[in-house]
Structures are given as structure tokens and as C-alpha cells.
Amino acid sequence: MRTADVITNATRNAFRSKLRTTLTVLSLFVGAFTLTLTTALGAGVNDYVTKQVATISTGDVLIVTPAASTDTTEGPDAYDPDGRQQSAQANPLGAGTLLNDDDLDAMRDMDGVDRVEPVRQIAVDWVAPSGGADDERYELDVNPTSSIGRSDLVAGDQLDQEADEAQIVLPEDYLDALGFADAESAIGEKVELGYTDAAQADQAIEAEVVGVARTSLLAAGAGVNQSLTDTIAEAQAIPGQPDAYVVAVATLAGTGDDGAVTASDVDDVKAQLADADLAGQTVEDQLGVIQTVINGIIGVLSAFSVIALLAASFGIVNTLLMSVQERTREIGLMKAMGMSNGKVFSLFSLEAVVIGFLGSAIGALAAIGLGSAISTALSAGPLADLPGLTILLFDPVNVVVVILVIMLVAFLSGVLPARRAARQDPIDSLRYE
């Protein structure tokens, strides 16, 4: 029997017992459907995070905080009036210990560090069009890490951290409220920011709109440059209190082509920071933690798919073992007519592969159809404020891999029945009743 005939007969034989085969295909369908969806979820979220990293990070900055304490001595530490201060409240940007001016000076003296700027938290009460009335004021959150990197711009330019003029990057959803027809018309215009100083007096400052940014999970709020941050921070600083900072941003000097910062440059500065009892992370490092958590969750969801596939594999074994028993005399006749053990093994193995292909292909196609509809609905509804996020991204390569993996599982499940069929004695098989 030629190979083509073996494939044809295997496909035909897989449907001898239509009900049994259908139930086995359905069990594979569940695993393929779930695995395709979880794979698409992981691909969609990781693709969005990767795009955001490329948008907001230039790869040449480190977010620096005091190193986590590893002191194992018993009892509290002795008070040092010249040491680092402790934060009065929990802060998501760093630990409880704050940086001081000595830390900043130490960073500036490190090889490979071009510039160091502390991240100062400022409180802005409102934003309004320049010269706007009281009823044109709107609450505004300021992203305290604007100096870390770049904004995902709709229009305009990035903030100039070395400029003396106050600059702001507005979130896109503030355009209509502030009277701008579109993002382009806002560029170069002035807005007014209101804040309360240390004496609890109302103050206001004008800032030029240099860019308009899309909404992002990774960079919420308006972006302001260093000049504007310093002005408000100094006004809100409590007199007599020493300077202390939650985090600082160290801009690196690269040694690569065209002054690019290399991985070696980053590692060298990280080592120097560690020697100074400091810790530095790139934006990619911080988002890597997020991706690890996401991948862990997706891994747990995928485990349920694997359990479904394991259950389906027992169904394939059962289906083929029954098929071998029902076709015992047929097997004996084929072997008596000269069919080799290898051909018999191939015949039953291919039946398992055909069942695996049907279950995986139908499951994958159903997942793509339903998942695409869900993704479109979410993009137009709850996720409309996150442009660029495709929550379920069906990569053709991933889909093909899922199908091939399930076909492999089906093949392995069919090995035992196929071996039993191949090893049958033709005389005994022909006598089987």
C-alpha cells in the first residue's frame, strides 16, 4: 500500500464510528479553543506593553532609589541626623527611605552618568485655558516621572528637560474641555496651572503646550518639564525641611555607535549604584516585572487547557483501542496480504493525527472567530481609552503552533493502539470472532 493510500484510508477510517470520533474531536476542541485564547491574550498584552516601552523609553535612563536594606542585625538602626530621611507616607514610586543631596552628588560623580535629576512630587489643583474663567478650570494629575522618557504623542514634541520655559504635554482627553479644536491646534498655546504653595496661598503659572499624548496605562496624567516641576516644588517646599526625594532619574552617557547607550553601559552604572547603596532600574526592568506577572497568569490559564488536552488524549487512546479490537480480522487480512508492521502502525497513527487535526483546527478557528468579536467589542467599549491595545492578538504562528502541538499529543496518544495493531499475529487475527 502506497503512502498516499495509507493517508486516504486513515482519514476514512477515522470516521467509521462517527459518534465516537465526534466526541473525541470535541474533547480536543475544548483544549484547542482555550489554549488559542490564552495564547492570544498573552500575545496581545505583551505586544501592547512592548509598544509602550518603545514609545515612552529611550533606553538611556535609570530610575534610582535607595537600595533595599539587607541588614540582618537585631534591633533598630542608630539615628543619623545626616542620613537619609524616611517617607512620611507610602509611595508607589519607591521605598520608605528617601534620597538626599549626597546621593545625587554621588550619582553625578559616577562614570557613565551624564545628568541626574530628582523626581519631585508636585500637586497641581487645576488647569485652565490661559486667562480662563473659574468655571473653565479642570482637575489635573501630573505624572511625576515625566522626565524618565517620552510620551506617546498624538501631536507636537517631547518635553525639553533643559529648557528654562515651563512646558506641558496635555492628555488627549483634555483638548475639548480646554477649547482646542484638535491636537495640532493646541501646540504652542498656553494653559494656566493652579496650585497651593507651602503657605496655603493660591498660585498660578502659565505653561506652553508642546505636545498632546495618548492615554496610556504606563504614563498616566500630564507631563511637565523640569523647569515647571522645580518652580512648583520650590513653592510647595516646607521652609527649613531638608531636601529629600522619592526617586531620581539618571540619564546615561552612551559609549555605543552615535553615543547610544549599550547594555554594558547600563550594567556598569548599576554596579556603581550598588556600591553606593543605591538601586537603578530601567523602564524595561520595571515593565519586565509586569510582564512576568502577566505571563504567570496566562500560564495558569493555559494549564487548564493542558488538563483538557490530557483528558482528550485518553479519549483518543480509547477510541483507537476500540477501533483496533473491532478491526482485528481486517488487520489480519491486511498483514496476510503483505502489509508490513510499519504500514499498519502508520495507518492507526495517522487516524490519531487526523482526529487531532480536526479537533485543534476547529477549536482554533472558533477561538479566532469569537475572540476577534470580543476584542473588537472591548476596543470600542471598556478599552476605548487605550488605543493600540488589541486584547486578543491572534498571531498566525502561534495558532499554527497550537494546532501542531495538539496533533503531536494526538499522535503520542495513538502510539499504544497503533503498536498493538502492528504487533498482531495475522493467523490469530483471522481467527478472531
Side-chain angles (χ1 to χ4, degrees):
M1 184 179 289
R2 296 174 300 177
T3 301
D5 295 331
V6 172
I7 296 174
T8 302
N9 286 333
T11 304
R12 186 184 304 115
N13 292 336
F15 292 95
R16 281 196 172 189
S17 178
K18 293 183 175 60
L19 178 60
R20 193 164 60 211
T21 299
T22 300
L23 292 175
T24 306
V25 167
L26 287 176
S27 63
L28 287 171
F29 168 91
V30 174
F33 181 84
T34 308
L35 196 57
T36 303
L37 283 181
T38 55
T39 302
L41 177 62
V45 175
N46 285 322
D47 176 73
Y48 179 72
V49 172
T50 301
K51 287 179 180 177
Q52 290 298 308
V53 170
T55 301
I56 70 173
S57 172
T58 56
D60 62 349
V61 295
L62 284 175
I63 304 167
V64 184
T65 61
S69 175
T70 57
D71 187 5
T72 58
T73 59
E74 295 182 2
D77 296 330
Y79 171 67
D80 181 3
D82 297 323
R84 293 171 178 157
Q85 297 183 58
Q86 297 297 312
S87 176
Q89 57 186 4
N91 193 295
L93 296 176
T97 305
L98 303 176
L99 298 169
N100 55 30
D101 289 329
D102 290 340
D103 292 323
L104 301 185
D105 292 338
M107 283 184 266
R108 294 185 179 107
D109 292 337
M110 292 179 183
D111 294 333
V113 175
D114 181 51
R115 187 176 74 253
V116 176
E117 296 292 347
V119 173
R120 299 182 175 183
Q121 288 186 281
I122 59 175
V124 173
D125 298 328
W126 50 263
V127 61
S130 182
D134 290 349
D135 59 357
E136 294 180 296
R137 295 176 176 178
Y138 301 93
E139 294 182 357
L140 179 70
D141 292 326
V142 173
N143 178 14
T145 57
S146 305
S147 56
I148 289 176
R150 300 154 54 85
S151 300
D152 186 5
L153 295 178
V154 178
D157 300 314
Q158 301 293 337
L159 293 166
D160 184 354
Q161 300 298 342
E162 298 182 357
D164 294 330
E165 300 79 15
Q167 297 179 349
I168 185 172
V169 170
L170 280 176
E172 187 177 17
D173 52 3
Y174 275 73
L175 293 176
D176 290 340
L178 296 178
F180 298 118
D182 53 37
E184 294 290 346
S185 64
I187 306 303
E189 297 296 325
K190 299 280 188 177
V191 294
E192 193 172 9
L193 304 177
Y195 61 94
T196 304
D197 63 17
Q200 298 302 304
D202 294 333
Q203 303 289 346
I205 184 174
E206 282 193 335
E208 179 185 356
V209 178
V210 296
V212 177
R214 296 182 179 87
T215 303
S216 169
L217 283 176
L218 310 178
V224 295
N225 70 338
Q226 198 65 46
S227 175
L228 180 53
T229 299
D230 289 343
T231 300
I232 299 179
E234 289 169 6
Q236 294 179 337
I238 300 175
Q241 181 174 338
D243 291 332
Y245 317 99
V246 177
V247 297
V249 177
T251 304
L252 309 186
T255 59
D257 296 337
D258 299 325
V261 175
T262 65
S264 178
D265 295 331
V266 174
D267 291 339
D268 289 344
V269 175
K270 283 183 177 180
Q272 295 178 70
L273 290 171
D275 292 339
D277 195 27
L278 299 168
Q281 283 188 313
T282 62
V283 175
E284 291 82 353
D285 291 336
Q286 293 194 328
L287 294 179
V289 175
I290 297 175
Q291 288 181 302
T292 299
V293 173
I294 292 171
N295 291 335
I297 295 172
I298 292 170
V300 171
L301 295 175
S302 298
F304 290 102
S305 306
V306 173
I307 293 172
L309 290 177
L310 288 175
S313 67
F314 288 109
I316 294 174
V317 173
N318 179 66
T319 297
L320 292 183
L321 282 176
M322 294 183 67
S323 180
V324 169
Q325 184 175 357
E326 291 171 354
R327 294 156 56 190
T328 299
R329 296 190 66 183
E330 179 184 333
I331 294 170
L333 181 60
M334 289 188 294
K335 298 187 75 172
M337 295 178 64
M339 193 173 191
S340 66
N341 290 347
K343 292 288 187 181
V344 175
F345 179 85
S346 299
L347 181 65
F348 283 88
S349 295
L350 284 173
E351 285 187 36
V353 172
V354 168
I355 294 173
F357 173 74
L358 287 173
S360 59
I362 295 173
L365 290 175
I368 292 172
L370 180 61
S372 297
I374 293 174
S375 183
T376 301
L378 290 175
S379 296
L383 302 179
D385 291 335
L386 298 175
L389 172 59
T390 303
I391 192 65
L392 294 172
L393 181 61
F394 295 97
D395 184 354
V397 175
N398 290 340
V399 174
V400 171
V401 169
V402 168
I403 293 175
L404 291 177
V405 166
I406 295 177
M407 289 175 65
L408 176 62
V409 170
F411 170 77
L412 295 176
S413 301
V415 167
L416 176 61
R419 284 188 62 192
R420 175 172 292 188
R423 295 171 65 180
Q424 285 192 7
D425 182 85
I427 297 177
D428 293 338
S429 299
L430 289 171
R431 292 174 179 170
Y432 181 80
E433 294 295 336

